Amino acid sequence: MSEINESRLQVAVIIGSTRGGRFGPVVANWLLGHIAQRADMAVDLVDLAETPLPTVLPAFGEPPAEGSLELLRRISPRLAAADAFVIVTPEYNHSFPAPLKNAIDWHNREWHAKPVGFVSYGGLSGGLRAVEQLRVVLAELHAVTIRNTVSFHDYGDKFDAEGKATDAASDGAAKSMLDQLAWWAHALREARSVRPYAV
């Protein structure tokens, strides 16, 4: 295995919307195209519509309900293996989708001392209100959120029929966000390898 491959970052791209007719896969596929051009990243697409999680969290100190562990096994190891995350999210009622919050809440250590980038889409706000709320939630889980984001305002007008972004500025925004994500991912991975993260 080459030195570049050994140092490649494992990036989990999470599609946060599970609604029928959702636009999330179009945005995620666009992002995957950018990641594919990088020699420093390998990607794992985590689609919450294809890998649903239990909707009822156990009480503190209680084991998960029967059947929950089987569903968790489809996602939890993938999040644990990730060096970094990118969350693709729309904005629903000034916030982010409930299935995304559910996926976040089912996990804890998987987020610790790892960077999270965001690609959001929506109407006039471009999903940025969802991102601001996600920053607060993920800070509680000891994750590091990346300052630069990618945001598609009035997203329906920003992609052509083949799913390609029509605004060239979004390509630059994606590169900037992924560059920052890579910097933090390398720094935090090296730090975790030297000493366990203090919770």
Side-chain angles (χ1 to χ4, degrees):
M1 185 178 289
S2 72
E3 187 173 327
I4 270 190
N5 287 338
E6 287 177 359
S7 66
R8 286 179 85 188
L9 299 164
Q10 297 298 315
V11 179
V13 173
I14 302 172
I15 303 179
S17 173
T18 62
R19 283 186 176 180
R22 64 200 173 124
F23 198 74
V26 174
V27 180
N29 286 335
W30 169 83
L31 176 66
L32 295 180
H34 282 275
I35 296 176
Q37 296 174 25
R38 302 181 64 106
D40 60 344
M41 291 180 173
V43 69
D44 178 18
L45 180 64
V46 179
D47 186 343
L48 297 181
E50 295 179 358
T51 52
L53 285 167
T55 54
V56 179
L57 289 161
F60 286 110
E62 295 295 320
E66 186 176 347
S68 295
L69 292 179
E70 185 62 34
L71 293 173
L72 285 167
R73 286 190 193 101
R74 298 173 64 193
I75 293 184
S76 300
R78 296 163 67 185
L79 300 186
D83 296 305
F85 305 93
V86 179
I87 294 176
V88 177
T89 184
E91 181 178 314
Y92 295 163
N93 300 323
H94 285 221
S95 188
F96 52 93
L100 177 55
K101 182 63 161 63
N102 188 47
I104 291 170
D105 288 348
W106 268 106
H107 301 93
N108 192 295
R109 291 188 177 275
E110 290 85 353
W111 304 108
H112 288 188
K114 295 180 182 180
V116 184
F118 302 100
V119 178
S120 65
Y121 58 98
L124 290 175
S125 73
L128 290 175
R129 291 175 291 207
V131 169
E132 289 309 306
Q133 292 190 26
L134 281 165
R135 290 186 190 280
V136 176
V137 171
L138 290 163
E140 180 64 18
L141 291 166
H142 305 268
V144 177
T145 58
I146 302 306
R147 185 221 177 260
N148 284 20
T149 64
V150 182
S151 176
F152 291 101
H153 304 254
D154 297 320
Y155 65 90
D157 300 329
K158 300 298 190 297
F159 290 84
D160 64 20
E162 283 74 45
K164 296 180 181 177
T166 57
D167 180 6
S170 61
D171 294 326
K175 182 181 185 308
S176 178
M177 183 271 289
L178 291 172
D179 285 347
Q180 289 184 3
L181 187 75
W183 190 95
W184 278 103
H186 279 294
L188 291 170
R189 183 170 71 178
E190 290 167 13
R192 293 193 310 274
S193 71
V194 173
R195 64 184 62 84
Y197 176 69
V199 180

